[in-house]
Amino acid sequence: MESSSNPGPPGLLASATTMSLNVFDYLERLPPDALDKLYGAAPPAADGQGGRSHGQWTCRALLQSLPQLAKQHVMRLLFVEGPVGKGMLKSWVKKEYQRVHAASVRKLVSLRVLLPSAGGQEYQLNPPFRENLQRALCASDKTPWQGDVPLSADRSPPTVAKIERQMHSQWQDVLYFLVGSDEEGRSTPPARVVKFMEESGLMRPVRGRGALRITDKGYEFMLKEAHVQAWMVVHALINGYGRTQPGCRDELLAFLFQLSYCKVGDAYPLGALTQTQRDLAQDFVELGLLFKRKAKSTRFYPTSIAVNLIFGSSPSGDAGGAGGGGTQRKPQPAGGLGGGKREDDTSIHIIVETNFQVIAYTRSKLHFAMLSLFLELRALLPNAIVGAITRESMRKALSTGIKGRQVLDFLKWHAHPVVRRRTPVVPENIADQVLLWERERDRMEHRDGVLVDVSYASRDAFRGMTEFANAKQGLLWSSPLGGEDEEGGGGGGGSGSGSSGGGLAGRKKLMVVSPGIVESLNAAIVENGWTSSF
């Protein structure tokens, strides 16, 4: 009996267990010295331009991201220089909230905000974190790079609407290229971005042709929320820089934290950045995350997605860039980064009916390509797409690596404003059926095995073989004891009409074992006198 295993597709750019969905999860995976540098223990490498300490912005952002009780612990310890006993920390929390307290302490320790000592019986704030958080909360600076490098007045500053339109257009170019759309007026992303898509596994070359085609990882990427998309791209860029320029990761992360306190529409000097940060900023310009009026411009303008890159998908509900003058916005759905007012061209509003019909009001070919991933398209109107969720369309989507939950989330994120008022947004029968269709693919488990026929062995010998195989964790299946030997306790009657194992299995002694134990089973048969050949 032979079969091949069929594991699920890996997660985007990394497995699901290693890919961090936001920057704060990413920080927990960093080594201690890297965290200390981020908190200001040592400034990032400079190139002569100078600049204020980056640590205060990192510490300020981290404080905003923490759970409420963890924030309370940090604020109580902020001006305490010595260690505090474990019992003292526990005394600050009521008895019924001790589990929440323990989770908060674990979180702070994992981020090296709290440093344990005396065998875990005492804690104190990490000195660089404490000093820079004090500076951040007491300083008058509202935005990063304030006064670092003087900027002359921009004679024709871009409006916020223009910045957002440019961001939207450039990100749409990336997504159009990813799905292989050839819509007129769309430009090919820069060569660096195309190379990134191929190296990250979002696209792969077509054999015999130079073109690139979207992969299952790319399909997964398309259906994710936009801030998750942006963070995944930035995550991969930072890792790429880290491979070519060891030690630069701290500079790049510091740049992200500083961006989260910028304001959309305001100009910031490129001269205040290190060379590595300027390189990353240029990547952001090409992706549409930052705006520059000219290629040689000495200033940049953050977009809403760049400002919200740190907090856009943060699990902490009250975290946000608005605390430092930033522009905090609600995370936007996939398919665009939420800027601009070109509702007729870039918006999509979906209505899911209980009869599995889906109506999507949109004019975008990108949305058409995205919907075709999991819908059976039936009509294409000037301002709408009509389709249906069918078993076959879902099986096609699932075979590319898309998950049922991703489809449902996509339908919720893009729901028509009228539909959003109802609960649930996606009818329950649709949601249940999509998940059931997904489970259909997991009803059978494929495992390699070897069929062993020992029908001529005695009942005791057969029992010994199955017990041996089971002890080796290699017994996949065996026919019930009984069959032609009418000794008590058998699974089948003397008539040989069969038992739960079926007619043939009721008359024969069969077992299926893992290939890895065949040799040891054969040796055990010889050693114990169980005659067999297979």
Side-chain angles (χ1 to χ4, degrees):
M1 185 171 82
E2 297 183 359
S3 176
S4 59
S5 60
N6 183 24
L12 177 65
L13 310 179
S15 67
T17 57
T18 58
M19 168 56 73
S20 306
L21 293 182
N22 60 63
V23 70
F24 301 105
D25 291 339
Y26 181 70
L27 291 184
E28 292 187 45
R29 304 175 188 271
L30 295 182
D33 59 333
L35 285 173
D36 291 344
K37 288 181 181 179
L38 274 176
Y39 298 154
D47 56 0
Q49 269 68 20
R52 297 177 184 268
S53 171
H54 69 286
Q56 60 175 311
W57 303 106
T58 303
C59 296
R60 186 173 180 173
L62 188 61
L63 177 67
Q64 287 184 248
S65 75
L66 293 173
Q68 290 293 341
L69 187 56
K71 289 180 184 177
Q72 292 291 329
H73 288 340
V74 171
M75 294 307 296
R76 287 196 177 204
L77 295 171
L78 186 56
F79 291 94
V80 178
E81 295 187 5
V84 174
K86 181 178 181 181
M88 177 65 75
L89 288 178
K90 293 183 67 175
S91 69
W92 295 345
V93 183
K94 292 182 178 180
K95 184 176 180 180
E96 57 267 31
Y97 295 104
Q98 287 300 319
R99 294 182 63 182
V100 181
H101 161 73
S104 298
V105 171
R106 285 196 300 270
K107 183 76 172 179
L108 294 172
V109 171
S110 68
L111 291 166
R112 281 187 63 80
V113 173
L114 272 186
L115 300 180
S117 60
Q121 297 304 307
E122 293 180 342
Y123 295 95
Q124 67 175 353
L125 283 183
N126 192 336
F129 180 88
R130 177 170 53 81
E131 294 168 7
N132 279 288
L133 184 57
Q134 289 175 358
R135 185 179 296 111
L137 298 181
C138 298
S140 60
D141 294 350
K142 293 184 178 180
T143 58
W145 309 298
Q146 187 174 337
D148 283 355
V149 177
L151 276 177
S152 58
D154 195 340
R155 287 176 294 182
S156 56
T159 64
V160 172
K162 181 178 180 180
I163 293 173
E164 298 294 279
R165 281 197 302 270
Q166 180 73 8
M167 171 194 71
H168 191 283
S169 176
Q170 288 184 252
W171 189 261
Q172 288 272 310
D173 287 343
V174 173
L175 297 182
Y176 270 100
F177 181 79
L178 183 60
V179 298
S181 175
D182 57 354
E183 183 177 88
E184 293 184 6
R186 290 291 171 185
S187 59
T188 301
R192 189 181 335 203
V193 177
V194 175
K195 182 180 179 182
F196 157 74
M197 289 185 179
E198 183 177 358
E199 291 179 347
S200 63
L202 298 179
M203 306 186 78
R204 66 165 175 261
V206 180
R207 289 185 178 180
R209 293 158 44 188
L212 295 174
R213 185 178 64 184
I214 188 171
T215 65
D216 55 349
K217 295 180 182 180
Y219 286 128
E220 288 185 69
F221 179 85
M222 290 295 298
L223 295 185
K224 291 185 182 295
E225 187 264 324
H227 283 83
V228 176
Q229 289 180 342
W231 165 243
M232 286 182 167
V233 172
V234 172
H235 181 279
L237 286 174
I238 291 176
N239 287 341
Y241 275 99
R243 286 191 295 269
T244 58
Q245 304 177 44
C248 71
R249 177 178 53 195
D250 308 321
E251 297 178 58
L252 303 180
L253 288 172
F255 177 58
L256 299 185
F257 283 113
Q258 289 170 298
L259 276 179
S260 66
Y261 289 94
C262 293
K263 185 177 180 181
V264 178
D266 286 358
Y268 297 90
L270 282 169
L273 308 182
T274 67
Q275 183 58 51
T276 305
Q277 289 174 338
R278 286 199 290 269
D279 292 340
L280 182 63
Q282 183 58 38
D283 289 335
F284 280 16
V285 170
E286 294 176 351
L287 287 168
L289 304 183
L290 295 180
F291 177 85
K292 285 172 61 179
R293 284 201 302 112
K294 299 179 180 179
K296 295 183 178 180
S297 177
T298 59
R299 69 191 78 208
F300 68 91
Y301 296 82
T303 64
S304 61
I305 198 69
V307 167
N308 289 284
L309 190 60
I310 293 294
F311 297 108
S313 56
S314 173
S316 178
D318 59 348
T327 305
Q328 178 71 3
R329 296 190 175 190
K330 181 179 179 182
Q332 297 293 329
L337 294 183
K341 297 183 178 180
R342 298 164 58 200
E343 289 289 294
D344 56 332
D345 293 330
T346 62
S347 64
I348 177 172
H349 302 302
I350 298 177
I351 299 175
V352 183
E353 301 178 344
T354 55
N355 62 354
F356 292 85
Q357 181 169 278
V358 176
I359 303 173
Y361 294 95
T362 181
R363 299 177 184 271
S364 170
K365 289 186 178 181
L366 173 63
H367 294 144
F368 176 84
M370 295 174 69
L371 291 169
S372 65
L373 297 178
F374 59 87
L375 285 185
E376 180 183 289
L377 301 180
R378 295 178 175 174
L380 179 60
L381 306 177
N383 68 333
I385 298 170
V386 181
I389 301 175
T390 66
R391 185 172 182 268
E392 288 305 314
S393 67
M394 279 304 304
R395 285 174 62 87
K396 177 184 175 183
L398 294 168
S399 66
T400 64
I402 296 173
K403 306 293 189 297
R405 181 55 58 188
Q406 290 175 339
V407 171
L408 296 176
D409 288 343
F410 180 85
L411 297 174
K412 291 176 185 176
W413 288 331
H414 292 285
H416 193 282
V418 175
V419 176
R420 290 197 190 105
R421 301 172 190 166
R422 73 186 186 195
T423 303
V425 175
V426 177
E428 289 184 350
N429 67 310
I430 305 298
D432 291 343
Q433 189 60 64
V434 166
L435 296 179
L436 286 173
W437 281 331
E438 183 176 28
R439 290 172 191 162
E440 283 183 358
R441 294 170 53 85
D442 302 325
R443 287 188 300 178
M444 296 182 62
E445 181 180 2
H446 300 277
R447 301 176 65 181
D448 293 336
V450 176
L451 177 63
V452 181
D453 184 353
V454 288
S455 300
Y456 41 80
S458 68
R459 179 185 178 87
D460 290 339
F462 183 61
R463 180 185 289 113
M465 295 179 198
T466 56
E467 290 177 351
F468 176 86
N470 194 44
K472 292 286 187 180
Q473 298 182 342
L475 180 63
L476 305 181
W477 176 86
S478 68
S479 57
L481 288 173
E484 295 178 358
D485 289 335
E486 295 190 16
E487 298 175 24
S495 64
S497 59
S499 60
S500 60
L504 181 61
R507 296 189 300 272
K508 293 189 174 184
K509 299 181 181 68
L510 306 173
M511 55 193 297
V512 179
V513 299
S514 299
I517 72 162
V518 170
E519 292 185 7
S520 59
L521 177 60
N522 200 24
I525 289 173
V526 174
E527 181 180 348
N528 292 279
W530 305 325
T531 57
S532 173
S533 60
F534 55 90

